PDB file of all heavy atoms in Angstrom:
ATOM      1  N   LEU D  84     -19.386 -32.058 -33.630  1.00  0.00           N
ATOM      2  CA  LEU D  84     -19.827 -30.709 -33.291  1.00  0.00           C
ATOM      3  C   LEU D  84     -19.884 -30.484 -31.779  1.00  0.00           C
ATOM      4  O   LEU D  84     -19.570 -29.402 -31.289  1.00  0.00           O
ATOM      5  CB  LEU D  84     -21.198 -30.426 -33.911  1.00  0.00           C
ATOM      6  CG  LEU D  84     -21.276 -30.468 -35.445  1.00  0.00           C
ATOM      7  CD1 LEU D  84     -22.669 -30.025 -35.907  1.00  0.00           C
ATOM      8  CD2 LEU D  84     -20.217 -29.575 -36.061  1.00  0.00           C
ATOM      9  N   GLU D  98     -13.186 -21.483 -33.463  1.00  0.00           N
ATOM     10  CA  GLU D  98     -14.153 -22.553 -33.253  1.00  0.00           C
ATOM     11  C   GLU D  98     -15.294 -22.471 -34.262  1.00  0.00           C
ATOM     12  O   GLU D  98     -15.776 -23.498 -34.779  1.00  0.00           O
ATOM     13  CB  GLU D  98     -14.694 -22.487 -31.824  1.00  0.00           C
ATOM     14  CG  GLU D  98     -13.675 -22.851 -30.756  1.00  0.00           C
ATOM     15  CD  GLU D  98     -14.278 -22.828 -29.362  1.00  0.00           C
ATOM     16  OE1 GLU D  98     -15.238 -22.056 -29.153  1.00  0.00           O
ATOM     17  OE2 GLU D  98     -13.781 -23.561 -28.499  1.00  0.00           O
ATOM     18  N   THR D  99     -15.755 -21.257 -34.551  1.00  0.00           N
ATOM     19  CA  THR D  99     -16.860 -21.086 -35.496  1.00  0.00           C
ATOM     20  C   THR D  99     -16.460 -21.515 -36.906  1.00  0.00           C
ATOM     21  O   THR D  99     -17.232 -22.179 -37.617  1.00  0.00           O
ATOM     22  CB  THR D  99     -17.317 -19.616 -35.500  1.00  0.00           C
ATOM     23  OG1 THR D  99     -17.690 -19.222 -34.167  1.00  0.00           O
ATOM     24  CG2 THR D  99     -18.498 -19.420 -36.437  1.00  0.00           C
ATOM     25  N   CYS D 100     -15.240 -21.171 -37.302  1.00  0.00           N
ATOM     26  CA  CYS D 100     -14.763 -21.569 -38.633  1.00  0.00           C
ATOM     27  C   CYS D 100     -14.682 -23.084 -38.754  1.00  0.00           C
ATOM     28  O   CYS D 100     -15.103 -23.671 -39.770  1.00  0.00           O
ATOM     29  CB  CYS D 100     -13.397 -20.948 -38.910  1.00  0.00           C
ATOM     30  SG  CYS D 100     -13.436 -19.153 -39.103  1.00  0.00           S
ATOM     31  N   LEU D 101     -14.153 -23.743 -37.731  1.00  0.00           N
ATOM     32  CA  LEU D 101     -14.090 -25.204 -37.749  1.00  0.00           C
ATOM     33  C   LEU D 101     -15.490 -25.812 -37.768  1.00  0.00           C
ATOM     34  O   LEU D 101     -15.752 -26.818 -38.452  1.00  0.00           O
ATOM     35  CB  LEU D 101     -13.304 -25.707 -36.538  1.00  0.00           C
ATOM     36  CG  LEU D 101     -11.808 -25.363 -36.513  1.00  0.00           C
ATOM     37  CD1 LEU D 101     -11.201 -25.802 -35.181  1.00  0.00           C
ATOM     38  CD2 LEU D 101     -11.089 -26.033 -37.671  1.00  0.00           C
ATOM     39  N   LEU D 102     -16.386 -25.212 -37.002  1.00  0.00           N
ATOM     40  CA  LEU D 102     -17.760 -25.698 -36.949  1.00  0.00           C
ATOM     41  C   LEU D 102     -18.438 -25.578 -38.313  1.00  0.00           C
ATOM     42  O   LEU D 102     -19.101 -26.510 -38.790  1.00  0.00           O
ATOM     43  CB  LEU D 102     -18.530 -24.916 -35.887  1.00  0.00           C
ATOM     44  CG  LEU D 102     -20.005 -25.283 -35.685  1.00  0.00           C
ATOM     45  CD1 LEU D 102     -20.123 -26.705 -35.149  1.00  0.00           C
ATOM     46  CD2 LEU D 102     -20.664 -24.293 -34.723  1.00  0.00           C
ATOM     47  N   VAL D 103     -18.269 -24.435 -38.978  1.00  0.00           N
ATOM     48  CA  VAL D 103     -18.867 -24.213 -40.295  1.00  0.00           C
ATOM     49  C   VAL D 103     -18.286 -25.189 -41.313  1.00  0.00           C
ATOM     50  O   VAL D 103     -19.011 -25.768 -42.144  1.00  0.00           O
ATOM     51  CB  VAL D 103     -18.650 -22.754 -40.734  1.00  0.00           C
ATOM     52  CG1 VAL D 103     -19.058 -22.567 -42.203  1.00  0.00           C
ATOM     53  CG2 VAL D 103     -19.444 -21.811 -39.846  1.00  0.00           C
ATOM     54  N   ALA D 104     -16.948 -25.380 -41.243  1.00  0.00           N
ATOM     55  CA  ALA D 104     -16.316 -26.293 -42.195  1.00  0.00           C
ATOM     56  C   ALA D 104     -16.831 -27.714 -42.018  1.00  0.00           C
ATOM     57  O   ALA D 104     -17.144 -28.411 -43.007  1.00  0.00           O
ATOM     58  CB  ALA D 104     -14.791 -26.245 -42.016  1.00  0.00           C
ATOM     59  N   THR D 105     -16.923 -28.163 -40.779  1.00  0.00           N
ATOM     60  CA  THR D 105     -17.424 -29.513 -40.519  1.00  0.00           C
ATOM     61  C   THR D 105     -18.857 -29.678 -41.005  1.00  0.00           C
ATOM     62  O   THR D 105     -19.220 -30.691 -41.646  1.00  0.00           O
ATOM     63  CB  THR D 105     -17.335 -29.822 -39.017  1.00  0.00           C
ATOM     64  OG1 THR D 105     -15.995 -29.645 -38.577  1.00  0.00           O
ATOM     65  CG2 THR D 105     -17.783 -31.236 -38.724  1.00  0.00           C
ATOM     66  N   THR D 106     -19.695 -28.704 -40.723  1.00  0.00           N
ATOM     67  CA  THR D 106     -21.103 -28.780 -41.139  1.00  0.00           C
ATOM     68  C   THR D 106     -21.235 -28.734 -42.654  1.00  0.00           C
ATOM     69  O   THR D 106     -22.048 -29.466 -43.249  1.00  0.00           O
ATOM     70  CB  THR D 106     -21.892 -27.622 -40.497  1.00  0.00           C
ATOM     71  OG1 THR D 106     -21.698 -27.625 -39.083  1.00  0.00           O
ATOM     72  CG2 THR D 106     -23.371 -27.744 -40.790  1.00  0.00           C
ATOM     73  N   PHE D 136     -26.109 -27.663 -35.944  1.00  0.00           N
ATOM     74  CA  PHE D 136     -25.153 -26.588 -36.220  1.00  0.00           C
ATOM     75  C   PHE D 136     -25.589 -25.281 -35.559  1.00  0.00           C
ATOM     76  O   PHE D 136     -24.785 -24.595 -34.909  1.00  0.00           O
ATOM     77  CB  PHE D 136     -25.023 -26.409 -37.737  1.00  0.00           C
ATOM     78  CG  PHE D 136     -24.319 -25.145 -38.132  1.00  0.00           C
ATOM     79  CD1 PHE D 136     -22.937 -25.007 -38.003  1.00  0.00           C
ATOM     80  CD2 PHE D 136     -25.049 -24.071 -38.620  1.00  0.00           C
ATOM     81  CE1 PHE D 136     -22.307 -23.821 -38.354  1.00  0.00           C
ATOM     82  CE2 PHE D 136     -24.427 -22.885 -38.979  1.00  0.00           C
ATOM     83  CZ  PHE D 136     -23.047 -22.763 -38.848  1.00  0.00           C
ATOM     84  N   LEU D 143     -21.787 -21.836 -28.546  1.00  0.00           N
ATOM     85  CA  LEU D 143     -20.423 -21.296 -28.616  1.00  0.00           C
ATOM     86  C   LEU D 143     -20.416 -19.799 -28.375  1.00  0.00           C
ATOM     87  O   LEU D 143     -19.541 -19.263 -27.692  1.00  0.00           O
ATOM     88  CB  LEU D 143     -19.812 -21.613 -29.984  1.00  0.00           C
ATOM     89  CG  LEU D 143     -19.312 -23.032 -30.214  1.00  0.00           C
ATOM     90  CD1 LEU D 143     -18.775 -23.177 -31.639  1.00  0.00           C
ATOM     91  CD2 LEU D 143     -18.228 -23.387 -29.203  1.00  0.00           C
TER      92      LEU D 143
END
Side-chain angles (χ1 to χ4, degrees):
L84 298 186
E98 291 182 332
T99 303
C100 292
L101 293 174
L102 180 65
V103 170
T105 304
T106 306
F136 167 75
L143 283 178

